[in-house]
Structure formats: structure tokens, C-alpha cells
Amino acid sequence: KKSIFPQDYKGQKLAEQIFQGIILVSAVIGFIYGYITEQFGWTVYIVMAGFALSCLLTLPPWPMYRRNPLKWLPVQESGTEEKKTADRKPKRHTKS
């Protein structure tokens, strides 16, 4: 059974690196452009655009982030243990 959110630690690391890289590059570009034009608003807009782009590239579970899924253990049937505990008689407490 496939999960809609597969675990992949290498993919998580890649997504984090891409996210941080885009944020860093957009912040540097925004700062330089805002400094040259003397408009702080452009700095904010460029950083926000970088944030939106990084969210678009890293938040959805793209196939490039799911290349190394974890191997999960098979499900153990626990029906026999439940049956044993159900067959036991409840203990009665004695008054002392």
C-alpha cells in the first residue's frame, strides 16, 4: 500500500536545501536591487516572490523528493493476543 506522504529523508534534505537556497538568493537580489533603486518595497516584493517560488517547488510531494522511500516492517497480526486476553476472567478484589 502506497502512502500519499512517503517518507524519504534524502528528499526532505534536498527540499530543505532548495528552499533555503532560493530564499537566500532572492534576499540578496532583493537587497541589491532595493539598494540601487532606493526602494525598500522592491526588496520585500522580491523576497516574497522567492518565498512563493520556493514553496511551489518544495511543498508538494514531487517525484524528485520520493526516490528513496523507507522500508517499513510488515504488519503483525495481533488477533491471537486479543483472543487470549478476552478469554481471561476478570480478577475480583477481596475486602480486607
Side-chain angles (χ1 to χ4, degrees):
K1 183 178 178 182
K2 284 190 173 183
S3 171
I4 59 170
F5 300 111
Q7 297 292 318
D8 182 351
Y9 294 119
K10 290 181 183 179
Q12 289 176 1
K13 183 178 180 181
L14 176 62
E16 181 70 21
Q17 289 172 340
I18 290 172
F19 185 83
Q20 289 180 357
I22 291 173
I23 294 294
L24 179 66
V25 168
S26 67
V28 169
I29 291 171
F31 178 78
I32 292 170
Y33 187 76
Y35 185 78
I36 291 171
T37 61
E38 297 180 2
Q39 294 288 322
F40 181 71
W42 278 107
T43 301
V44 174
Y45 294 142
I46 292 172
V47 171
M48 286 179 14
F51 178 75
L53 177 65
S54 63
C55 285
L56 180 68
L57 291 177
T58 59
L59 289 179
W62 298 109
M64 65 182 172
Y65 303 130
R66 299 183 292 164
R67 292 184 182 155
N68 304 299
L70 293 178
K71 304 293 184 214
W72 295 92
L73 293 175
V75 176
Q76 298 284 328
E77 292 295 328
S78 62
T80 56
E81 289 180 25
E82 290 174 6
K83 194 174 188 180
K84 287 179 185 177
T85 57
D87 290 341
R88 291 184 188 161
K89 293 182 181 179
K91 293 183 180 180
R92 294 187 179 200
H93 296 286
T94 59
K95 293 182 182 179
S96 8

